[in-house]
Amino acid sequence: MILILGLGFLFQSHTNQKNFRIDLIGVGLFLFSVYTAIHWRSCLREKRKYWDLFLTILLTCFVFLKIAEYDPVQVLPQKMGIKVISFLWILFLIFTFRKLSENNFSLIGPFLAIIPAISFGNFMAYPSVPIAFAIVMGGRNLKFDRTAKLSSFYFPLILVLLLIGKDWWDDFALQRGILLLEGFIFFRLFTIWERPRTIFFLKSAVLFFILNSCFLIWKIFQDPSFQITSYHEDIFLIPVSLLASNALLISGVSVIIWLEPKQSTLQKYLIVLAVTISIAFLGVTISRNSILSFVIFVTIYFLFLGSPKRKLYGSIFVILLFALGIYILFKSEKSLFSLGTTTVRLSIWSFYILATIKSNPIFGFGMFPENKIPFSVTDVSDTDSAFFIRDYILNFKSFPLAHNLYVQGFGSFGILGSLLVLSWFVFIVYKKRNSLGWLWSHNSAICCLLLVWALHELYDFNTLEISNIFLLIGVFALIEFPGDKEKLANESTLSRYAIALIVVALIASSFRFSLVEHFTLKYSKYVMPHNFEFFLPKNFSSQQADIAMPARSSWEYRFLGNKFLFLNLATNPSSSTQADLIEKCFQYQLLPAICYSKLIKYQDQYQVLPEFRNVSEFLLSLYDPFEIYKRESL
């Protein structure tokens, strides 16, 4: 009942796709009703199993609804492309339900429902919400029969929960923290699952990648001026690095699945198709980092590992890839040897490290350091690094992204936090030191992919940016350790208090994110999103005064976070309410630059203490060395 009430609350929240919501729920209920009517006798005997199917279909409908709200690829009118994919995916869930036992489907079904939310170019404002539902649905009947050790479970769990508490005010940081918590729980569940379940999850992810890619390819062929030399943001409306990273990961996952025994002919054809599409996307995006990572993966695995037959096929494949790469190199406007973006990255990395050491050396800036780093060091000299960072901010209209998981991690955790994470990792490796050779020989493809991904993260988006973490965890959970089959059955179980704490954190964060998104969509026609200030009002009018968001109490603002506060500020033209919200901004914000910016706009609009405007500008300049909040700069 808690699950059905929660899903009902999510469907009742505001959306910009009201008709689509009705159509989507109708499709889901129609398919469920038809299947149940055909198998009505089985439904009467196994009511709980069919209840699991009903909840899973509802969760799937919610996932596609959220994808439709931020649809980056609109191939057909009336969101018909998403409707087709959702129809096919619900049919796939019903087919899976038919083939699996009640216990297997209750565990894996909810995770199949959220596969569209965790990768492949789809965008959702808060993907952690459906993931939280899947974790509760898939884990509610699971028996945790393995030991919850201090080093491998409670220590990282406590660290993640502390991060969540620290970043609760900051929406973007909190979203990453919740994704990290959910990734940690994913790994715990995958290690409890039997290996075939995890393999089936990864196969399903590859299948959805193929379905979704059909519409991306369709979008490409719709453009008569398409060339392999362009950057294509006008087609995808998503960063090319994101698409390339997904393609790289899917290609590696496909290779791992290929090596699993008992593959049907159809599954092998689908794997070949997935790898082909992945390579095509790597060529289209011309993401040098992802292309180089893919070549390294193929070279290491097919040339240095495995049988002579595999090495022969691998050599032919690498030669063909090399020839294709040379062709693209001469045809592309994006030279593989250009150091332009590398110089910008080096400038941002050095600034991240120096700013963290100067401002927050102990515990860092939290899970979203990008929006705090530019304001942390006030004495920014006019160096080359500062020039490149300013240029990045102006050109991309965004805070400077590190494009390096490890540098960003240092900015997030600081010196002490980074040492704790590194020490924990070294401790785990040290405990497994005697079995490292065995692990590599028995898990060569998996270890090769994880190694390449670790190198890939030196130069590209943070994994948490695009939710690839869940596929990576699925791959990591496939690693076989010596003695896995001789695990002790009578070890102590996971603490009920730990489970309750995790569930409370997931429910609280899901409620908070859903409520914020509800109001964001409800008032979206009166405000416009802004990368630096969250929201800006489109216009102030008497009509808008009638629909202004009501004032909230201090604890509500603290619970709902900074995004909600600035949404309220942008939608409420009342002078007294804005003054109160600006005062709260100074109380709650960690860095006051944005608050001074709002104060200056307030003074200009209502002519409040105009003689002190210069003082406000001076104070803003103290906290805003890159002049992000000066209107003329953006």
Side-chain angles (χ1 to χ4, degrees):
M1 291 305 298
I2 293 175
L3 289 170
I4 195 67
L5 289 174
L7 287 170
F9 166 75
L10 294 178
F11 276 116
Q12 287 299 315
S13 62
H14 199 86
T15 177
N16 56 15
Q17 300 294 325
K18 294 181 180 179
N19 294 331
F20 180 84
R21 175 174 61 189
I22 296 172
D23 295 342
L24 192 58
I25 295 176
V27 168
L29 293 179
F30 172 75
L31 291 175
F32 175 78
S33 301
V34 170
Y35 181 82
T36 305
I38 295 174
H39 301 279
W40 63 272
R41 292 179 179 176
S42 173
C43 179
L44 293 177
R45 291 194 308 268
E46 302 172 298
K47 297 182 182 66
R48 184 180 182 86
K49 182 179 179 181
Y50 281 79
W51 177 249
D52 286 336
L53 175 62
F54 176 72
L55 288 176
T56 302
I57 290 177
L58 278 185
L59 180 60
T60 306
C61 292
F62 174 71
V63 169
F64 281 107
L65 172 63
K66 290 297 154 182
I67 290 173
E69 290 175 347
Y70 300 92
D71 180 20
V73 183
Q74 299 183 27
V75 178
L76 297 172
Q78 304 298 323
K79 305 288 182 181
M80 187 57 67
I82 296 180
K83 290 177 184 178
V84 171
I85 295 181
S86 61
F87 179 82
L88 295 175
W89 199 245
I90 293 174
L91 284 180
F92 171 70
L93 290 176
I94 293 176
F95 173 79
T96 303
F97 174 81
R98 181 71 176 169
K99 294 296 182 181
L100 297 181
S101 65
E102 176 181 351
N103 183 53
N104 277 334
F105 185 81
S106 67
L107 294 177
I108 197 173
F111 296 99
L112 300 183
I114 63 165
I115 281 177
I118 62 177
S119 56
F120 320 126
N122 292 327
F123 175 77
M124 291 177 60
Y126 297 111
S128 59
V129 175
I131 294 171
F133 271 83
I135 288 173
V136 174
M137 289 171 61
R140 69 189 192 279
N141 298 322
L142 199 60
K143 294 181 179 179
F144 296 89
D145 56 355
R146 293 192 180 187
T147 302
K149 297 179 180 178
L150 177 64
S151 60
S152 61
F153 183 80
Y154 289 108
F155 178 72
L157 175 63
I158 291 172
L159 287 182
V160 173
L161 291 175
L162 288 175
L163 278 174
I164 291 173
K166 177 183 178 183
D167 291 331
W168 188 267
W169 170 254
D170 187 346
D171 274 60
F172 298 107
L174 179 61
Q175 175 64 22
R176 286 183 182 173
I178 296 296
L179 285 174
L180 194 62
L181 173 63
E182 292 174 337
F184 177 71
I185 302 169
F186 252 67
F187 178 71
R188 182 72 186 180
L189 293 175
F190 281 152
T191 55
I192 295 173
W193 283 6
E194 297 175 358
R195 184 182 179 89
R197 292 174 185 161
T198 306
I199 291 293
F200 188 78
F201 172 82
L202 295 176
K203 287 180 179 178
S204 303
V206 172
L207 175 62
F208 185 81
F209 171 78
I210 295 172
L211 290 175
N212 217 27
S213 298
C214 293
F215 287 91
L216 277 174
I217 295 171
W218 190 348
K219 186 75 172 181
I220 290 174
F221 279 102
Q222 277 188 338
D223 183 10
S225 61
F226 176 82
Q227 294 181 358
I228 201 172
T229 57
S230 57
Y231 288 98
H232 319 307
E233 277 87 349
D234 56 332
I235 296 177
F236 306 132
L237 300 181
I238 51 178
V240 291
S241 297
L242 177 132
L243 184 61
S245 298
N246 283 325
L248 168 65
L249 184 56
I250 286 295
S251 62
V253 171
S254 300
V255 170
I256 291 171
I257 295 174
W258 177 275
L259 298 173
E260 289 291 314
K262 300 179 180 179
Q263 300 290 328
S264 67
T265 303
L266 176 61
Q267 289 176 348
K268 289 185 177 181
Y269 284 145
L270 290 175
I271 291 171
V272 171
L273 179 60
V275 174
T276 304
I277 294 173
S278 299
I279 295 174
F281 282 156
L282 288 174
V284 166
T285 58
I286 321 176
S287 175
R288 293 167 295 181
N289 185 39
S290 296
I291 293 173
L292 181 61
S293 299
F294 179 76
V295 171
I296 292 174
F297 173 72
V298 171
T299 303
I300 292 177
Y301 189 70
F302 286 100
L303 298 189
F304 298 103
L305 300 172
S307 62
K309 184 178 179 181
R310 182 189 298 166
K311 292 179 180 179
L312 174 62
Y313 290 150
S315 301
I316 297 173
F317 189 51
V318 169
I319 291 172
L320 292 175
L321 282 178
F322 183 75
L324 179 62
I326 293 295
Y327 173 78
I328 293 176
L329 173 64
F330 285 105
K331 291 290 185 180
S332 171
E333 63 194 29
K334 195 175 181 181
S335 172
L336 292 176
F337 303 105
S338 171
L339 297 179
T341 58
T342 300
T343 304
V344 177
R345 280 174 165 85
L346 290 174
S347 300
I348 295 176
W349 297 347
S350 63
F351 188 77
Y352 263 64
I353 295 171
L354 292 175
T356 303
I357 293 174
K358 286 184 177 181
S359 301
N360 283 51
I362 306 301
F363 294 111
F365 294 96
M367 289 298 292
F368 195 75
E370 293 96 312
N371 65 341
K372 305 175 186 69
I373 288 284
F375 311 105
S376 58
V377 180
T378 56
D379 56 339
V380 175
S381 56
D382 193 17
T383 61
D384 291 338
S385 293
F387 169 79
F388 284 121
I389 293 173
R390 283 194 181 96
D391 188 61
Y392 183 101
I393 293 170
L394 291 172
N395 285 330
F396 293 100
K397 293 182 172 61
S398 169
F399 292 113
L401 302 177
H403 290 81
N404 185 311
L405 176 64
Y406 312 105
V407 171
Q408 183 164 329
F410 181 76
S412 296
F413 305 137
I415 297 174
L416 182 58
S418 299
L419 287 176
L420 284 174
V421 174
L422 182 61
S423 300
W424 175 71
F425 178 76
V426 171
F427 174 75
I428 297 297
V429 173
Y430 179 77
K431 287 184 63 177
K432 303 291 183 182
R433 65 189 183 281
N434 296 326
S435 58
L436 292 179
W438 190 94
L439 289 173
W440 176 263
S441 61
H442 286 74
N443 307 275
S444 55
I446 298 173
C447 293
C448 181
L449 176 60
L450 295 176
L451 174 63
V452 169
W453 194 262
L455 296 174
H456 176 271
E457 293 297 276
L458 282 168
Y459 202 75
D460 217 326
F461 280 112
N462 180 349
T463 294
L464 286 175
E465 288 285 340
I466 49 182
S467 304
N468 278 333
I469 183 174
F470 300 102
L471 286 182
L472 287 169
I473 288 170
V475 171
F476 190 79
L478 292 177
I479 295 179
E480 296 181 8
F481 290 90
D484 260 357
K485 298 180 180 179
E486 292 82 24
K487 292 287 184 182
L488 297 176
N490 55 353
E491 294 177 335
S492 59
T493 58
L494 185 63
S495 168
R496 293 180 180 270
Y497 297 106
I499 295 176
L501 189 61
I502 291 171
V503 171
V504 168
L506 293 178
I507 292 176
S509 60
S510 297
F511 177 75
R512 176 224 158 120
F513 288 144
S514 300
L515 207 57
V516 171
E517 191 171 32
H518 165 78
F519 286 110
T520 301
L521 292 169
K522 183 177 180 179
Y523 293 95
S524 59
K525 60 183 177 180
Y526 302 105
V527 298
M528 52 186 174
H530 191 276
N531 286 339
F532 300 107
E533 301 191 51
F534 293 94
F535 303 99
L536 291 176
K538 289 182 178 178
N539 57 0
F540 283 112
S541 63
S542 57
Q543 179 187 10
Q544 189 172 354
D546 296 334
I547 59 90
M549 291 179 63
R552 305 278 175 168
S553 62
S554 294
W555 75 267
E556 286 179 289
Y557 286 121
R558 288 185 180 275
F559 177 74
L560 295 174
N562 54 1
K563 186 176 180 181
F564 180 76
L565 184 141
F566 290 115
L567 175 65
N568 202 333
L569 184 63
T571 58
N572 203 318
S574 167
S575 173
S576 58
T577 303
Q578 286 206 4
D580 178 64
L581 289 173
I582 292 173
E583 181 183 358
K584 285 183 170 59
C585 177
F586 282 103
Q587 293 174 9
Y588 304 153
Q589 280 295 111
L590 298 177
L591 298 170
I594 187 174
C595 305
Y596 280 113
S597 171
K598 299 294 186 182
L599 176 60
I600 292 172
K601 290 184 65 176
Y602 176 79
Q603 288 179 280
D604 291 342
Q605 183 177 356
Y606 296 105
Q607 291 299 305
V608 176
L609 299 176
E611 65 272 17
F612 289 102
R613 191 184 188 282
N614 292 335
V615 177
S616 299
E617 285 189 343
F618 172 74
L619 293 172
L620 173 61
S621 66
L622 293 179
Y623 293 101
D624 189 13
F626 288 101
E627 300 181 341
I628 290 175
Y629 291 110
K630 284 190 175 181
R631 298 282 77 78
E632 61 269 20
S633 297
L634 297 173

